[in-house]
Amino acid sequence: MFDLFRSRARIVRLGLGALLMLVAISMVVTLIPGWGSMPAERDQPVAEIGDDVLTQREVHLQIQAVMRNQAFPRDMAYIYVPQIVDQMITDRLLAYEAERLGFRVTEADVAQTIRSIFPQLYQDGKFIGREFYANFLAQQNLTIEQFEANVRKQMLLTRLQNLAAEGAIVTPEEVEREYRRRFQRIKLEYIVISGGKLRSEIKVTPEEIRNFFDQNRGLYQIPEKRSFDLLLIDENKVGERIQVPEDELRRAYQQRQEQYRTPERVRVRHILLKTTEKPKEEIPKIRARAEELLKQIRGGADFAELAKKNSEDPGSAEKGGDLGWIVRGQTVQAFEDTAFSLKPKEISGIVTTEYGFHILQVLEKEQARLRPFEEVKAELARDLKRQRVFELMQNLADQAVAELNKAPMQAAEIAARLNVTLIRVEKAGSNDPIAGLPVGAEQVHQALSGLEKGRATPPIQIENNKLAVAVLREVFPARPAELAEVENQVREQVVSRKLDELLETRARQVLEQARAAGGDLRKVAQAAGFEFRTTQEFGPDGAADGIGPASSVIEGFVKQTGELFGPVAVGDQRFICKVAARTDADMSKFAEERSNILNALKSRKARERSELFVDSIRTRLVREGKVKIHEDVIRRIASAYTS
């Protein structure tokens, strides 16, 4: 809830942060050793859109920003990273196409957009200064020119997408049809015919295995295997070599003093009773309740306990109302004025803001100050050491690549000389784990793919604190498999095929028995030894208990009560179903839902039109050679983030 009563300036700064994400914000990168100081020739293009180049550096910065916001789990990076890159390419090519079609964004348009998202740049209608604007963007590794260029591109692609979405028409018949579909309900009875139950009936002979293998030899290959040496450079091990002298720490402290200045700040807790979205006649009652709470606190009641039970700020209530440290400019004015006027342990009166009634208590207070050297010494040493560790790791990795390319069979000697870990790998497939490397095998195998014998890979990032360099010693090409090597796999496929046939046959037999029994599924299931079940009522967007999504049994929505259908195949199960009951949509409530359904259908149609439009633009620009996408570079980027 703290965010809800921050000042407008603070909210807008957060809004700007969100926009920066949309327009490829450049943020501080965690560990990509040497990144940012990387030589220009190593920053290969990811895509070329007209004369514009999307660089690896821009992509890495965007990915790191998304990852810091925990937008996806790191172990899913191999899925999400290519999507992030693809979206960046799409945004740029749409902006490019918009310009080609004659769309224009003027300086006044850009200024108006920035003013709307960053109004604290203007006070009393006047621009407060380029310096404040530049300083904020500098914290995001952006210049004014870069940011405004990105805003311009975002505005262009938004205009183009809006054009594509225009004209999405929904007829009254479509709205009514969707209402009837969405609000109908059915209830099913069904018999479960399980593959697990029938599996024991499957018998497979050696002759069947041999015949299946002979007929499908092309399906069975022993994949390529590789033998290679891996040099592992660990941040912790490298860090042991580095010490930062005190005189150097003091010099760094003098150079960085501004970042060690802390503004005046207070640690405050509060109780909030909200008045937003409340009827005017209730506000006096809310204030009376606040006054009663204040009376209890001044009478000795536990502030934290009252906050937990009464505060309507979900972000701080469970912490006893504690907001932590705040500085000026973070909260709305009335809240700030009170917080900074109180002494430690002092309780405020009732403070009224646009969010409601607050009761504040200042827990601690600090005046603006420069943190002394001794206080920041350890922090500064860690920063400098970490910076040097990254530089040294990159240097070691580059040196390892150079030496391994000259002497690929001397990996052990090179590892010993560089004081890094050596891992020897023999005949490993591209999906095999690597002993001594708990995570990162996939990145190593991808880097080795297509590499010539005797050559070393570029440095490979493993987790957040390791680099690896691999040198390929030997390649064992893929070859056709012999039956003995894949016999278990062949047997399982024969069993699976026979099981599918048996399931289908048995399910159709049960369906015929059910028809003969007048649809009495319980009786048929009991006689056949299968399980009988009943679902709850569900709609077409819901799920059928024990079966799966309603889409699996969509046929049931066009059947009448008592009708049978099936077999429905879901994995290694078959279902014979009967519509036990159905309820059509209640048309008396159609008027209530009409607007929501209309908007949903319009949004869906607009989205579909936009997707088709974007896809056609992308396909055409690639075909015309206006867009070049370097898939190999994208794969390497994705592998660098995959754990």
Side-chain angles (χ1 to χ4, degrees):
M1 177 64 192
F2 188 22
D3 285 341
L4 293 181
F5 63 90
R6 292 179 190 270
S7 69
R8 177 173 176 80
R10 175 63 175 164
I11 292 172
V12 173
R13 284 199 293 273
L14 293 176
L16 178 60
L19 178 68
L20 291 173
M21 282 283 291
L22 290 173
V23 293
I25 179 175
S26 298
M27 304 288 273
V28 179
V29 179
T30 52
L31 170 60
I32 300 177
W35 204 268
S37 59
M38 181 178 287
E41 66 269 19
R42 298 181 66 179
D43 192 9
Q44 294 174 287
V46 175
E48 298 159 64
I49 302 97
D51 296 329
D52 187 18
V53 176
L54 176 62
T55 67
Q56 287 191 63
R57 183 176 188 277
E58 292 172 299
V59 169
H60 279 296
L61 291 171
Q62 175 73 344
I63 293 168
Q64 291 287 341
V66 173
M67 291 179 71
R68 267 194 307 280
N69 285 329
Q70 299 180 337
F72 63 84
R74 190 179 179 91
D75 58 3
M76 298 295 286
Y78 70 98
I79 293 175
Y80 286 99
V81 166
Q83 293 178 6
I84 293 170
V85 178
D86 187 72
Q87 187 60 53
M88 294 179 75
I89 294 170
T90 298
D91 287 350
R92 294 205 178 194
L93 68 86
L94 287 177
Y96 170 77
E97 180 66 5
E99 287 186 319
R100 289 214 311 172
L101 291 174
F103 287 82
R104 293 291 180 265
V105 175
T106 66
E107 293 298 326
D109 293 333
V110 173
Q112 184 61 36
T113 298
I114 293 173
R115 182 169 184 165
S116 68
I117 60 173
F118 207 5
Q120 68 266 42
L121 286 175
Y122 299 85
Q123 292 185 0
D124 299 325
K126 296 180 180 179
F127 184 56
I128 64 172
R130 188 178 178 86
E131 183 179 356
F132 178 82
Y133 180 30
N135 287 342
F136 181 84
L137 294 176
Q139 294 173 23
Q140 323 303 327
N141 285 350
L142 281 174
T143 65
I144 290 175
E145 291 73 20
Q146 289 170 326
F147 173 62
E148 292 185 355
N150 285 334
V151 171
R152 184 175 286 104
K153 286 178 182 176
Q154 187 70 24
M155 293 175 70
L156 282 170
L157 71 90
T158 298
R159 289 181 182 181
L160 191 63
Q161 288 174 321
N162 289 342
L163 176 66
E166 286 176 2
I169 298 172
V170 179
T171 67
E173 292 77 16
E174 287 176 306
V175 177
E176 182 176 335
R177 187 162 56 246
E178 174 63 12
Y179 175 81
R180 291 181 183 276
R181 184 201 71 81
R182 186 180 295 188
F183 289 99
Q184 64 180 315
R185 296 288 183 269
I186 61 173
K187 179 179 180 179
L188 298 180
E189 292 178 352
Y190 63 93
I191 297 172
V192 184
I193 301 154
S194 171
K197 191 175 182 68
L198 300 180
R199 194 178 182 88
S200 60
E201 299 180 25
I202 304 295
K203 307 298 179 187
V204 178
T205 67
E207 290 75 20
E208 287 176 310
I209 293 175
R210 165 57 68 180
N211 290 339
F212 188 87
F213 176 74
D214 288 342
Q215 293 166 11
N216 299 279
R217 279 181 177 270
L219 299 177
Y220 302 103
Q221 295 280 319
I222 299 300
E224 177 183 275
K225 294 185 180 292
R226 310 181 192 96
S227 292
F228 56 91
D229 290 326
L230 185 72
L231 274 61
L232 190 63
I233 305 165
D234 188 303
E235 176 191 344
N236 296 327
K237 187 174 180 180
V238 173
E240 294 171 359
R241 313 181 198 180
I242 297 174
Q243 297 298 326
V244 183
E246 179 155 330
D247 60 340
E248 196 167 332
L249 290 174
R250 290 188 178 278
R251 282 198 301 274
Y253 174 73
Q254 293 298 325
Q255 294 167 357
R256 303 184 183 188
Q257 278 193 1
E258 286 307 310
Q259 76 182 63
Y260 296 123
R261 294 188 186 280
T262 60
E264 179 187 12
R265 62 178 189 163
V266 292
R267 183 176 162 220
V268 64
R269 61 183 177 183
H270 80 136
I271 295 172
L272 168 64
L273 301 183
K274 292 198 294 186
T275 56
T276 54
E277 301 178 359
K278 299 286 179 69
K280 288 184 178 180
E281 58 270 19
E282 287 189 19
I283 292 178
K285 296 179 183 178
I286 297 172
R287 183 178 183 91
R289 185 176 160 219
E291 289 172 345
E292 176 57 31
L293 289 172
L294 178 60
K295 182 178 178 181
Q296 292 179 42
I297 292 169
R298 288 181 170 164
D302 188 304
F303 191 111
E305 286 303 313
L306 287 178
K308 289 177 183 179
K309 294 176 182 177
N310 297 280
S311 181
E312 294 176 315
D313 173 1
S316 69
E318 62 184 18
K319 296 181 289 186
D322 193 346
L323 295 170
W325 292 96
I326 64 171
V327 298
R328 292 187 184 275
Q330 274 190 285
T331 65
V332 290
Q333 196 64 48
F335 192 99
E336 176 184 298
D337 290 345
T338 303
F340 282 88
S341 67
L342 294 174
K343 298 175 182 177
K345 309 303 180 185
E346 189 176 356
I347 305 291
S348 73
I350 304 298
V351 179
T352 305
T353 73
E354 54 262 52
Y355 300 100
F357 300 115
H358 307 255
I359 302 169
L360 283 65
Q361 182 182 33
V362 167
L363 301 174
E364 299 177 72
K365 192 169 189 176
E366 285 186 1
Q367 298 302 319
R369 69 188 183 101
L370 172 65
R371 296 169 66 194
F373 173 73
E374 292 301 328
E375 182 180 323
V376 302
K377 179 179 176 181
E379 174 187 332
L380 186 56
R382 281 194 303 272
D383 288 347
L384 293 180
K385 186 173 181 178
R386 189 171 177 80
Q387 179 181 335
R388 292 188 182 182
V389 165
F390 296 164
E391 293 171 356
L392 182 53
M393 287 175 71
Q394 185 67 58
N395 291 337
L396 286 170
D398 291 342
Q399 190 175 345
V401 171
E403 294 194 25
L404 287 170
N405 279 330
K406 291 179 183 177
M409 305 309 290
Q410 296 179 18
E413 294 87 338
I414 294 169
R417 186 162 56 253
L418 298 179
N419 192 22
V420 298
T421 302
L422 172 69
I423 299 175
R424 303 213 81 181
V425 181
E426 303 293 343
K427 291 189 175 181
S430 60
N431 294 317
D432 291 346
I434 297 174
L437 195 68
V439 297
E442 185 177 352
Q443 294 101 300
V444 174
H445 288 309
Q446 286 179 354
L448 287 165
S449 178
L451 199 66
E452 294 179 13
K453 178 180 173 181
R455 300 298 295 174
T457 66
I460 308 161
Q461 186 174 338
I462 307 295
E463 300 180 274
N464 281 333
N465 63 347
K466 295 181 181 70
L467 287 178
V469 176
V471 60
L472 188 59
R473 288 190 280 110
E474 191 62 70
V475 178
F476 303 89
R479 60 177 176 80
E482 297 298 328
L483 177 57
E485 295 174 299
V486 292
E487 185 171 351
N488 288 338
Q489 180 184 348
V490 176
R491 177 183 289 104
E492 185 55 38
Q493 288 177 316
V494 173
V495 168
S496 178
R497 180 168 293 191
K498 295 182 82 169
L499 182 58
D500 280 345
E501 293 171 356
L502 180 58
L503 273 168
E504 201 65 27
T505 299
R506 194 65 56 85
R508 294 195 177 281
Q509 290 172 350
V510 172
L511 178 59
E512 290 306 315
Q513 293 167 5
R515 285 173 176 156
D520 191 341
L521 295 190
R522 186 187 298 275
K523 179 180 176 181
V524 172
Q526 189 173 12
F530 294 119
E531 190 175 359
F532 170 82
R533 295 181 187 172
T534 304
T535 69
Q536 300 291 327
E537 273 200 346
F538 63 95
D541 297 325
D545 305 324
I547 299 176
S551 56
S552 304
V553 290
I554 200 69
E555 185 181 352
F557 290 93
V558 297
K559 298 287 186 182
Q560 296 303 311
T561 301
E563 284 193 81
L564 298 170
F565 66 96
V568 173
V570 179
D572 67 345
Q573 292 182 314
R574 299 294 183 272
F575 303 95
I576 304 302
C577 305
K578 182 176 81 171
V579 179
R582 67 175 300 115
T583 305
D584 291 330
D586 182 357
M587 296 306 294
S588 68
K589 297 181 179 179
F590 175 53
E592 297 175 24
E593 297 291 337
R594 187 182 183 284
S595 178
N596 291 336
I597 292 175
L598 177 62
N599 291 335
L601 290 177
K602 279 186 176 180
S603 295
R604 186 172 71 195
K605 283 195 173 187
R607 185 169 60 251
E608 290 169 353
R609 285 169 60 94
S610 181
E611 288 171 356
L612 287 171
F613 184 64
V614 170
D615 187 60
S616 66
I617 290 175
R618 182 171 181 146
T619 301
R620 177 168 52 78
L621 291 179
V622 170
R623 187 175 61 245
E624 293 175 356
K626 303 296 185 183
V627 172
K628 297 177 182 177
I629 302 171
H630 302 285
E631 299 290 352
D632 56 331
V633 178
I634 296 173
R635 282 194 296 273
R636 285 201 298 275
I637 291 172
S639 70
Y641 288 94
T642 304
S643 297

